[in-house]
Amino acid sequence: MSIIPGLAEYPMVNIPAGEIELRDDRIKQTWSVTVKSFLLAPVPVTSALYSSILQHTRDSYEKSKVPIVDVSWNDAILFCNLLSQHSGLEECYSVSNDGERVACNWEADGYRLPTEAEWQYACKAETTGYRYGDLDEVAWYQENSEGRVHEVGGKLPNVWGLYDMLGNVWEWCWDVYDVKVYDSYRIFRGGSWAEEARGCGSTCRRRSHPSFRIDDLGFRLARSLYPTPNKIG
């Protein structure tokens, strides 16, 4: 197995078990989710890591440590499976022949997207506010980003050692937003370099079609530690 750029440099963080309250301001509902211990990457997937697996060369070497963007949810799912194959791990995702249906094997030890509950729980890291620190200190956003994405890890992490959970790039999650209203649209979280301050918070929820690619939207890797899923979808 060859060395994969970015994996050794940014070892995954063991997130302890706990509980988180999610909310949907659109329909004014809240619900609690129990989160089992899992692994989460300390930074979003970088251009270097993405390119090393897909043999993709659109980014220059100087930009290799910036988060990969313009990736759809479907792209992220494919990447997780390819990285799992490359790492000798069991793939988490199975995709129907027409590409319309994706199932997750939560017992697999491979790479996957975090659930929405996992993402928010890890972002808050047992803090109680909208953010885990002063926004200028922890995030690249509209007022300090100079209109561009930045290398990962350039701002302060939360207390669990996770960088760029707020700002820099939005991050895809596993979950469907609201199948009755938005069909297959998936959730993304965290804010970005182009986002106003109010959009960079632990509970801010956005959505997009799984085939859409956006210039400030990337993703972060997770892995299961237990065979019981945090959320089935």
Side-chain angles (χ1 to χ4, degrees):
M1 190 188 315
S2 60
I3 296 175
I4 304 173
L7 283 184
E9 188 175 1
Y10 304 113
M12 300 187 83
V13 177
N14 192 323
I15 305 300
E19 188 169 307
I20 191 71
E21 182 178 89
L22 301 179
R23 76 168 189 250
D24 187 336
D25 292 335
R26 178 180 57 90
I27 58 176
K28 298 184 177 2
Q29 288 187 0
T30 61
W31 62 99
S32 294
V33 179
T34 298
V35 177
K36 295 183 180 295
S37 182
F38 68 103
L39 296 174
L40 189 66
V43 296
V45 171
T46 63
S47 176
L49 177 56
Y50 196 84
S51 299
S52 71
I53 300 302
L54 273 69
Q55 297 182 338
H56 199 287
T57 59
R58 69 181 179 187
D59 293 303
S60 67
Y61 176 78
E62 289 77 13
K63 294 183 178 180
S64 64
K65 288 188 177 181
V66 300
I68 191 70
V69 293
D70 285 318
V71 287
S72 69
W73 186 88
N74 292 327
D75 293 334
I77 292 298
L78 172 63
F79 177 83
C80 287
N81 275 355
L82 290 175
L83 181 58
S84 296
Q85 292 174 17
H86 197 96
S87 304
L89 303 172
E90 183 181 2
E91 296 176 20
C92 291
Y93 298 116
S94 57
V95 183
S96 62
N97 291 334
D98 60 7
E100 294 297 319
R101 296 180 302 280
V102 179
C104 182
N105 175 11
W106 299 95
E107 297 186 2
D109 62 357
Y111 293 95
R112 59 176 177 80
L113 296 178
T115 65
E116 179 183 23
E118 287 175 334
W119 188 96
Q120 183 174 310
Y121 176 72
C123 178
K124 292 182 76 68
E126 298 182 338
T127 59
T128 57
Y130 189 52
R131 304 183 182 102
Y132 52 81
D134 178 82
L135 188 57
D136 280 302
E137 294 182 349
V138 304
W140 297 110
Y141 69 111
Q142 187 184 75
E143 292 185 16
N144 67 7
S145 69
E146 299 179 340
R148 61 183 176 85
V149 69
H150 289 258
E151 289 191 357
V152 298
K155 291 291 187 176
L156 296 178
N158 68 14
V159 296
W160 287 348
L162 303 172
Y163 297 83
D164 299 309
M165 292 297 286
L166 300 178
N168 214 6
V169 295
W170 291 98
E171 298 178 8
W172 286 113
C173 294
W174 160 256
D175 308 65
V176 174
Y177 185 80
D178 185 337
V179 69
K180 293 181 180 179
V181 179
Y182 295 98
D183 194 30
S184 61
Y185 275 46
R186 299 281 174 163
I187 291 169
F188 56 88
R189 293 294 210 105
S192 80
W193 59 266
E195 187 63 32
E196 296 179 355
R198 64 183 179 181
C200 298
S202 62
T203 58
C204 185
R205 308 170 82 227
R206 297 286 173 85
R207 62 189 178 272
S208 185
H209 191 274
S211 67
F212 290 174
R213 299 181 176 97
I214 304 173
D215 65 1
D216 62 347
L217 174 56
F219 64 105
R220 185 180 301 251
L221 298 169
R223 290 180 64 191
S224 298
L225 287 176
Y226 295 93
T228 303
N230 297 317
K231 183 174 181 179
I232 299 174

